[in-house]
Amino acid sequence: MSSPPDPSAEVAADPPTRGYHAFEDPVHDRLLGVILALGAEVWNLRERLGLLESALARQGVDVSALIEELALDPERAASMTADRDAFLARFLRAISAD
Amino acid sequence: MPALPAPTQEQAAHFDYLEGLRGYNYTVHVKGILDAYERETATGRPEPATMDEAGAIIAPSHLYRFAAATQHQAQKMGWAAARRSLEGHTNRLAEVLERMPVEPRGRLVLDPALELPGYYTERDSEGLDDIHLVPGGYWGDPLVGPVYERGGALYRMAWRTGYTGSPPGALVAFAEGAPPGDCRRILDLGCSFGGLTMALRQAYPEATEVVGIDISGAALRWAHLTAEERGLAIAFEQRDATATGYPDGSFDLIAGFLLLHELRAETLDAVMAEAYRLLRPGGHIRFLDMPPYAELPPERAFLQSFDCEGNGEAFWNEFLSRDFKAVLRDSGFVNVGDGPLDYDEPSYWGTAALLRTGEFRLENRWVNAADKPAV
């Protein structure tokens, strides 16, 4: 059964306002929202890729082994390095730009 | 419940992600907050006595801010994902919602002329977030039933089951908890999607009438369709709980689930006055809601208070700081009591946003009960 209410709890009864933010600067809440949304997209891509590999395996194509083989190909590795650098430049432009 | 469109792989992956995100937030971030609080308060200095003192320790921490921001963002993402999963199916869903069962066991009575209160419909202009951050609230979107069926299930971390897909045992236990007696006419106040109404129907098969009222016609429509699919004879009627229009003494048992904390203090007082009028002499009234702050350890009361700002629960702090037993007594009720709902259920289900650390706690659900004097 209940004990008498804590009078100090009354202090908490300020009305809330629209547009909640947990950090002092609401921009940080928005940035976290972007990160969480990106996480959702990354998870979807990972799951879909896994499903694609499973679907191909069901058709008799061992794409996982082919992926491992291609990943070790030196010629392809060089082109992927350039792709990676371009990706990073695009991705981090907002930070590195003056 | 009426069938929802099956989600695509991408939508299902998104729902899974959001459930995983919530689970991580509760079991790692929030648990970390409580562990850090325990370490902080074990250093020999006086233990915080109030939620504000506890909040002064917890609120500045980065972990709390990340946990709170994550919960808020995940809630908004969940509703958006639920709504998006219905796109392309809205015409079919609208048809389903309009099509009434041919031989219904119960009935649906809507009142398009019912004037909805400003605190319910004008939250934006009043500077308040929508209830539970549901875009458009519970009344503005005709598809709020399907949206809630999926988004509410995400909140309960069970999107594959659906919001009303499996009747929560806690609701049936609560419904069955009324004292033995004549319970032929039963009323569920603020029934929304009919979860408690259906539990009451199941708990009292001999009842001559089980009625659920709410001011949201869209929510009632979904409740009606769900109840009919389950073969449950329930009357869902669009009425304002402050002025229902029913005659005095119309009901033997009146109940409500998660209604109280959604009401302004003056509205709550008006609902209790109306409930007293509607109950027959000797009748019983009971509510299942959140525990008052005074019943919680200060650090848990502080975490519970997150919902007010962070989950669009505008009147949450006001209600949980109030002595609701005094409200019941002032309304004329007797045998007023309260306490935790003694039902063992995983605490993930339906608890306050930041208190889901995975362990079962009795205070996750709180019962208030009273009787109308017999004479």
Side-chain angles (χ1 to χ4, degrees), chain B residues 43-90:
Chain B
T43 53
R45 63 182 185 182
E47 201 165 308
T50 68
M51 61 186 281
D52 288 335
E53 289 175 17
I57 294 172
I58 295 171
S61 75
H62 279 96
L63 198 53
Y64 175 74
R65 291 174 185 229
F66 269 108
T70 298
Q71 173 66 23
H72 183 74
Q73 297 288 344
Q75 182 78 327
K76 290 201 290 191
M77 290 169 76
W79 295 124
R83 193 66 176 76
R84 235 178 3 255
S85 74
L86 305 178
E87 284 171 9
H89 306 275
T90 51

Side-chain angles (χ1 to χ4, degrees), chain B:
Chain B
M1 65 181 180
L4 294 179
T8 64
Q9 174 274 325
E10 184 178 355
Q11 289 162 352
H14 197 61
F15 296 153
D16 284 337
Y17 169 82
L18 288 172
E19 281 195 5
L21 179 64
R22 283 179 183 279
Y24 189 88
N25 203 35
Y26 304 140
T27 55
V28 178
H29 290 163
V30 177
K31 185 167 187 312
I33 291 167
L34 290 169
D35 289 347
Y37 178 84
E38 199 171 314
R39 285 195 301 274
E40 181 79 14
T41 54
T43 53
R45 63 182 185 182
E47 201 165 308
T50 68
M51 61 186 281
D52 288 335
E53 289 175 17
I57 294 172
I58 295 171
S61 75
H62 279 96
L63 198 53
Y64 175 74
R65 291 174 185 229
F66 269 108
T70 298
Q71 173 66 23
H72 183 74
Q73 297 288 344
Q75 182 78 327
K76 290 201 290 191
M77 290 169 76
W79 295 124
R83 193 66 176 76
R84 235 178 3 255
S85 74
L86 305 178
E87 284 171 9
H89 306 275
T90 51
N91 288 343
R92 185 188 69 77
L93 283 168
E95 281 173 24
V96 168
L97 287 163
E98 286 298 327
R99 196 185 317 133
M100 288 294 101
V102 180
E103 292 181 358
R105 288 169 178 257
R107 65 177 183 273
L108 174 67
V109 181
L110 298 181
D111 179 5
L114 182 69
E115 194 172 332
L116 304 183
Y119 74 85
Y120 190 63
T121 59
E122 295 163 14
R123 295 172 77 95
D124 194 0
S125 60
E126 291 197 8
L128 303 172
D129 279 319
D130 287 318
I131 298 174
H132 305 155
L133 312 181
V134 180
Y138 284 64
W139 60 278
D141 182 356
L143 295 186
V144 70
V147 168
Y148 214 89
E149 190 69 47
R150 190 153 272 165
L154 262 176
Y155 183 76
R156 286 185 181 168
M157 314 244 323
W159 77 264
R160 290 179 191 277
T161 307
Y163 184 69
T164 57
S166 89
L171 282 187
V172 178
F174 166 70
E176 290 173 341
D182 183 2
C183 284
R184 284 173 299 156
R185 301 162 303 165
I186 300 172
L187 176 65
D188 179 9
L189 293 171
C191 66
S192 66
F193 304 101
L196 175 62
T197 337
M198 289 184 266
L200 287 163
R201 180 73 272 180
Q202 288 170 288
Y204 297 93
E206 306 302 324
T208 53
E209 181 140 79
V210 177
V211 182
I213 65 168
D214 202 279
I215 52 178
S216 167
L220 290 170
R221 200 175 274 277
W222 189 255
H224 175 62
L225 289 172
T226 305
E228 291 298 324
E229 284 217 349
R230 292 203 191 145
L232 299 173
I234 296 172
F236 288 103
E237 301 187 350
Q238 190 174 16
R239 294 174 187 255
D240 187 331
T242 62
T244 60
Y246 296 123
D248 292 357
S250 293
F251 297 97
D252 306 301
L253 169 64
I254 296 178
F257 172 50
L258 297 181
L259 167 70
L260 307 177
H261 73 258
E262 303 292 0
L263 305 175
R264 285 185 193 278
E266 60 265 32
T267 309
L268 180 63
D269 294 345
V271 170
M272 290 309 114
E274 177 70 352
Y276 187 87
R277 184 185 72 77
L278 294 178
L279 208 53
R280 65 145 164 91
H284 182 73
I285 189 167
R286 59 198 288 104
F287 295 97
L288 186 58
D289 215 289
M290 309 309 296
Y293 289 143
E295 291 291 340
L296 297 175
E299 72 279 13
R300 288 185 174 266
F302 173 74
L303 289 178
Q304 180 136 305
S305 71
F306 161 83
D307 273 64
C308 192
E309 291 272 1
N311 197 30
E313 296 278 22
F315 314 120
W316 181 268
N317 279 345
E318 184 181 72
F319 172 68
L320 297 182
S321 303
R322 208 171 171 200
D323 182 356
F324 181 61
K325 288 195 295 183
V327 175
L328 287 169
R329 286 192 202 97
D330 290 346
S331 303
F333 292 104
V334 295
N335 303 327
V336 175
D338 70 350
L341 177 70
D342 190 6
Y343 182 81
D344 193 356
E345 185 168 40
S347 62
Y348 273 173
W349 181 80
T351 53
L354 275 182
L355 270 176
R356 303 180 187 186
T357 48
E359 82 275 37
F360 172 67
R361 297 182 63 86
L362 283 176
E363 68 261 34
N364 281 337
R365 279 285 170 266
W366 195 257
V367 178
N368 279 281
D371 298 321
K372 184 169 178 174
V375 286

